[in-house]
Amino acid sequence: TRYRKNLKKLRLFICFGVSFLIAAVGGSLTILDSWYYSLVQPSWKPPDFLFGPIWTTIFSLLAISAYLCWTKYGLVLEARRVLLIFFLNGLLNILWSYLYFFCQRPDWSLFEVVFLWLSILLLISRTQKLSNVASVLLTPYLAWVSLASLLNYQTVMLNGPF
């Protein structure tokens, strides 16, 4: 029916809106200034210009994954739990940017990234109960944060103590 189509569109809009609001807040804390450029980086670090498109893709996949779970199951208890985990994961993502770039403490962000990484694993596990596709869409996020965690570790080792 028309009501269901409009509800699906609204849910998709909300999922993208929340996802990109989280991305915007995290992005606003990502300050590439003289401090950042003075850090010794590992030779295998991807070029800075790739980070924006990669994060845009990841936040789009997060939005679609959340949308699939929400649309398929509405607000039954498990779907509400998954949506809450998406939100908490977003807060952890923002916290990482805050610690690394705003506070200029890669060592603190290295500790925090463990919780971010675990929250992604939890998201993958919980979304799989609702939608295999939603779960698979989160695997690039896990891979990227795994790479970013290694980069964070190397940065701390090459530049510490902070």
Side-chain angles (χ1 to χ4, degrees):
T1 67
R2 186 178 183 147
Y3 172 76
R4 285 197 159 164
K5 280 186 178 181
N6 287 337
L7 184 60
K8 284 184 174 186
K9 287 179 186 177
L10 178 62
R11 287 178 177 172
L12 184 62
F13 178 78
I14 290 170
C15 288
F16 269 91
V18 170
S19 185
F20 281 93
L21 177 62
I22 290 167
V25 172
S28 72
L29 296 169
T30 303
I31 303 164
L32 303 182
D33 58 5
S34 59
W35 170 82
Y36 173 78
Y37 290 114
S38 72
L39 293 172
V40 177
Q41 300 284 355
S43 61
W44 53 268
K45 177 189 166 285
D48 290 332
F49 72 85
L50 288 179
F51 284 74
I54 289 169
W55 277 114
T56 300
T57 301
I58 287 169
F59 278 105
S60 296
L61 294 173
L62 279 161
I64 295 166
S65 179
Y67 168 78
L68 290 173
C69 292
W70 190 9
T71 301
K72 190 170 181 180
Y73 288 94
L75 289 176
V76 297
L77 184 58
E78 186 60 26
R80 283 188 297 201
R81 287 181 181 152
V82 166
L83 293 174
L84 179 62
I85 296 167
F86 272 104
F87 182 72
L88 293 174
N89 171 267
L91 293 178
L92 288 169
N93 197 301
I94 290 169
L95 180 59
W96 186 91
S97 294
Y98 174 76
L99 294 173
Y100 191 100
F101 292 103
F102 192 81
C103 295
Q104 299 180 349
R105 293 303 304 251
D107 52 342
W108 293 353
S109 65
L110 183 60
F111 174 76
E112 189 275 348
V113 80
V114 172
F115 298 98
L116 175 59
W117 194 83
L118 289 172
S119 74
I120 300 167
L121 276 183
L122 182 61
L123 261 179
I124 290 171
S125 168
R126 295 303 272 246
T127 55
Q128 191 172 31
K129 294 178 181 180
L130 300 175
S131 166
N132 284 330
V133 173
S135 179
V136 169
L137 291 175
L138 298 173
T139 56
Y141 184 28
L142 182 65
W144 182 250
V145 169
S146 296
L147 178 73
S149 299
L150 290 173
L151 180 57
N152 191 166
Y153 172 77
Q154 285 290 305
T155 303
V156 169
M157 293 299 107
L158 291 168
N159 297 279
F162 289 92

